[in-house]
Amino acid sequence: MADQLLLHVDGKDQPASDGGEFAVHNPATGEHLYTVANGTEEDVNGAVLAGRAAFDDGRWRAMPPRERARILNRAAVLLAERVDEYARLESLQIGRTLREMRAQLKRLPEWLEYFAAVAQTAEGSCPEFGPEHLNVVRRVPLGVVGLITPWNHPLLITMKKVSAALAAGNSLIIKPSELGPAVPGQLVALLEEAGVPPGVVNFVPGLGRSTGKALTEHPGLAKLDVTGGTETGRVIAAAAGRSLIPVTAELGGKAPVIVFDDVDIDTAVAGALFAAFIATGQTCVQGARILVSRNIYDRFQEVLVTRTRQLRLGDPMDLQTQVGPLVSQAQRDKTAAAVDRAREQGATVLAGGRIPEGAQYANGWFYEPTIVGDIRRDHDLWSEEVFGPVSVIAPFDGEDDAVMMANDSPFGLAASVWTQNVGRAVRVSRRLDIGIVWINDHHRIDPASPWGGFKDSGIGSENGLEAFRSYTRQQSLIINASDTPFDWFGTDEDLRYS
C-alpha cells in the first residue's frame, strides 16, 4: 500500500483539486497508515463527466454481455490471488480480525462470477400486443451511478454494488468511507487490469459531509446506491427524489436472535455469540437482541455470559484474536455511552460493559464484548442501533410474544430463528416484518440471495437478479407488423388506435 491514496478518474490517479487530504490510522494501535486525497465538488463533477463520456461512447455499455462477462471473470481470478494482501490491509485500517477478513474476502470473487453469468443470461420479454404489433421489451443500463460504501465491510459491500452495476453496463463513481478506503481503491485498479476500460469505474474518496454530499446532489447521476446509517440514507433518498432517480439504500438494523426451547443450548449460544460479536458487532445484521424462551432463559443466559467473557479481545492481526477494536474513538464513545445509559435506566450489565485495561489496549479503540439483561422495551438500548459489541438478552413466552418482541423495532433488516420444529420456523418467519430471516444460522450471504430490509432498514435489495435489474431500465419497442394502411384522419370509420 502506498503512503497516499489518490483519486482515480478517467483511468488516471490524481490528487484532490485543492490538494486536500486526510489521514487513516490503525484503530488497534493509533499508528498512522496512509493519507487520502479528499475529493472536492470539482473532483466529483470531473468523475461524473468521465463516467458519462465512457457511457456515451459505448466503450463498456455497448460491449457484448459475453465480453463484459469475460472481463469480470478475469477480475475474479485476480481478486482470488490477492485475498491475503487485501485482508491484511482491511484488518489494519478497520480493526476487524484478520481471521474474519480472510474468510470474508475469499468469498468475494463469487460476486464477479455470479453477475458475469447473469449478464450473459439476462433476457428481455415479448408481451402479447395483439396480432398486428410486436412488442419487444429489453433492459438497458441506467448511465452513471453513484456508489456510497461504508467502512465495516469495505470490499464486500463495494463488491456487491460494483459487480451488479458493471455487469449491467453502467459507469460508476465509487465514494468509499473515509475510515476504510484503501481496498476499494485497489479494486478499481484491479478491474482496469482485468480489462474494464478507463473512465468506466471512477474512485473519489473523501469526507461524507463534502465529497459525499457533492456526489449525492450531482444532477448527472442516474442512480444512487448507499449502505450506511438510516439518517444518512434519508438524506440521500431525498437527494435522489429531487433528481427523480432510483435509490437503493441498505441501512440500519437491530436484528433479533429468537431462541426457542427445543434447541441444543450450546449450539444456539454459539450461534448467538457469532451473531452478536462477529466484526466486533459493527454490522447492520448484528444479533443485537437475543430473545430466549423463558423455559430455558436462565441456563441460556448463564452459558452465553460465560462464553462472552471468554472471548479473546486484542490485536486483530493475531490469528488467535477473536474480537478486535472498534473502528474509531467516536464509535467506541457511542458504544460506551449506550451501555452507560442502559445502566442508568435500570438494566444490568451481565458481561463486559467497560473499556479494557492493560498496555495492549492503551492506544486502540477497544471495548469489552457486552451482554445486557433486565432490559425493558422503553430502554434506549432496546431500539437504538449501537454498532458495537453490545447485545441485550430478554425472555419471551410463546410464539406470539416472540414475534411481537422481534417486530418491536423501527428496523426490519435481519433476524434468526433457532428451533428444531420446522413448522414453527415457517410460522414465525412468515410473521416477522423483516427482510432476511435465517433458520438455525445467522449472517450468511450469497451473491444469488437477495439482501434487503423492511421499514427503516432501507429501500431495494442487493444481490440476486433483482439487484441486476435495479441497475437497468426497460425500453419497450412496439413494431407495427400490419400491411393495412392506417390513416386516422382520412376516414370516418371506427379505427383501433389504443
Side-chain angles (χ1 to χ4, degrees):
M1 173 67 198
D3 292 336
Q4 185 180 42
L5 180 64
L6 299 172
L7 285 68
H8 189 82
V9 176
D10 204 17
K12 298 179 286 292
D13 290 338
Q14 61 187 56
S17 59
D18 64 356
E21 59 184 29
F22 58 91
V24 172
H25 295 87
N26 183 332
T29 66
E31 171 194 8
H32 173 87
L33 293 175
Y34 55 91
T35 59
V36 184
N38 185 18
T40 65
E41 184 176 353
E42 179 183 341
D43 295 323
V44 168
N45 186 58
V48 174
L49 291 176
R52 187 73 229 181
F55 188 80
D56 287 344
D57 68 22
R59 70 187 75 166
W60 180 252
R61 169 181 58 87
M63 189 182 291
R66 190 159 296 169
E67 182 56 32
R68 290 204 303 264
R70 291 190 183 106
I71 291 171
L72 295 179
N73 281 317
R74 282 200 292 272
V77 172
L78 292 174
L79 179 56
E81 294 171 350
R82 298 173 193 178
V83 161
D84 287 345
E85 171 192 347
Y86 289 175
R88 179 180 177 277
L89 185 50
E90 293 264 70
S91 292
L92 283 172
Q93 68 180 359
I94 65 169
R96 190 170 176 184
T97 65
L98 183 58
R99 177 174 178 248
E100 290 180 16
M101 293 314 308
R102 283 180 177 173
Q104 185 180 91
L105 267 59
K106 285 179 181 177
R107 295 284 316 279
L108 300 196
E110 297 173 27
W111 268 258
L112 292 163
E113 293 163 348
Y114 172 80
F115 282 104
V118 170
Q120 294 183 80
T121 55
E123 296 179 346
S125 62
C126 188
E128 175 57 36
F129 205 96
E132 296 183 342
H133 292 84
L134 175 66
N135 187 191
V136 177
V137 181
R138 64 191 192 111
R139 303 203 74 95
V140 298
L142 298 172
V144 182
V145 298
L147 311 180
I148 299 177
T149 63
W151 51 262
N152 59 327
H153 306 291
L155 190 57
L156 168 63
I157 294 177
T158 302
M159 181 62 70
K160 288 161 71 175
K161 301 179 191 307
V162 164
S163 54
L166 275 183
N170 296 283
S171 294
L172 321 181
I173 315 297
I174 301 172
K175 191 280 174 193
S177 165
E178 55 264 37
L179 295 175
V183 182
Q186 295 200 1
L187 174 65
V188 177
L190 181 150
L191 290 167
E192 290 187 357
E193 182 181 344
V196 176
V200 173
V201 183
N202 301 279
F203 177 75
V204 187
L207 303 181
R209 63 179 179 269
S210 53
T211 314
K213 183 175 185 291
L215 181 60
T216 59
E217 295 178 353
H218 199 286
L221 297 182
K223 176 183 170 77
L224 281 163
D225 190 338
V226 58
T227 297
T230 295
E231 291 312 308
T232 299
R234 293 186 198 280
V235 172
I236 291 172
R242 286 191 295 271
S243 297
L244 295 179
I245 60 173
V247 60
T248 297
E250 201 266 79
L251 307 174
K254 193 76 175 179
V257 176
I258 308 168
V259 183
F260 286 95
D261 59 7
D262 59 346
V263 299
D264 174 78
I265 287 181
D266 289 337
T267 299
V269 165
L273 207 69
F274 174 78
F277 300 121
I278 195 76
T280 317
Q282 298 170 119
T283 171
C284 50
V285 297
Q286 184 219 9
R289 295 179 297 148
I290 302 170
L291 313 178
V292 184
S293 175
R294 195 176 298 275
N295 297 346
I296 62 169
Y297 180 79
D298 290 342
R299 175 59 181 158
F300 187 97
Q301 175 185 287
E302 177 186 0
V303 177
L304 178 66
V305 167
T306 298
R307 290 286 311 273
T308 299
R309 290 172 174 164
Q310 293 170 346
L311 292 172
R312 295 188 294 274
L313 178 68
D315 178 6
M317 307 309 290
D318 184 342
L319 292 178
Q320 298 304 307
T321 295
Q322 295 174 317
V323 180
L326 288 115
V327 74
S328 66
Q329 180 178 0
Q331 202 63 33
R332 188 179 69 177
D333 288 349
K334 179 184 176 184
T335 299
V339 175
D340 291 344
R341 197 160 55 249
R343 283 191 180 100
E344 293 167 1
Q345 293 175 342
T348 302
V349 175
L350 302 170
R354 67 188 183 97
I355 297 170
E357 298 176 351
Q360 69 270 38
Y361 305 119
N363 297 317
W365 308 120
F366 293 93
Y367 196 82
E368 290 185 350
T370 299
I371 299 293
V372 178
D374 298 321
I375 192 82
R376 296 199 314 266
R377 287 164 51 206
D378 61 343
H379 287 168
D380 294 344
L381 194 56
W382 176 261
S383 58
E384 291 182 2
E385 184 179 34
V386 176
F387 226 66
V390 178
S391 288
V392 305
I393 184 169
F396 64 78
D397 298 294
E399 287 183 25
D400 289 345
D401 195 33
V403 170
M404 181 275 296
M405 292 173 70
N407 284 336
D408 182 29
S409 171
F411 301 108
L413 181 56
S416 57
V417 178
W418 296 78
T419 179
Q420 295 305 304
N421 184 320
V422 175
R424 172 186 283 157
V426 172
R427 286 193 305 273
V428 170
S429 63
R430 283 176 173 172
R431 296 174 65 190
L432 295 177
D433 195 11
I434 289 169
I436 308 162
V437 181
W438 296 281
I439 308 298
N440 298 327
D441 211 333
H442 201 98
H443 205 165
R444 302 295 179 175
I445 189 171
D446 190 90
S449 179
W451 182 281
F454 300 165
K455 300 189 286 189
D456 285 359
S457 288
I459 304 169
S461 180
E462 297 179 318
N463 299 340
L465 297 178
E466 191 61 34
F468 178 84
R469 294 189 187 109
S470 77
Y471 279 103
T472 67
R473 52 189 169 191
Q474 295 184 102
Q475 183 183 50
S476 185
L477 308 179
I478 303 162
I479 303 163
N480 183 358
S482 173
D483 61 358
T484 302
F486 178 85
D487 185 354
W488 177 263
F489 294 106
T491 179
D492 293 329
E493 296 179 19
D494 289 338
L495 298 177
R496 183 177 184 270
Y497 75 97
S498 63

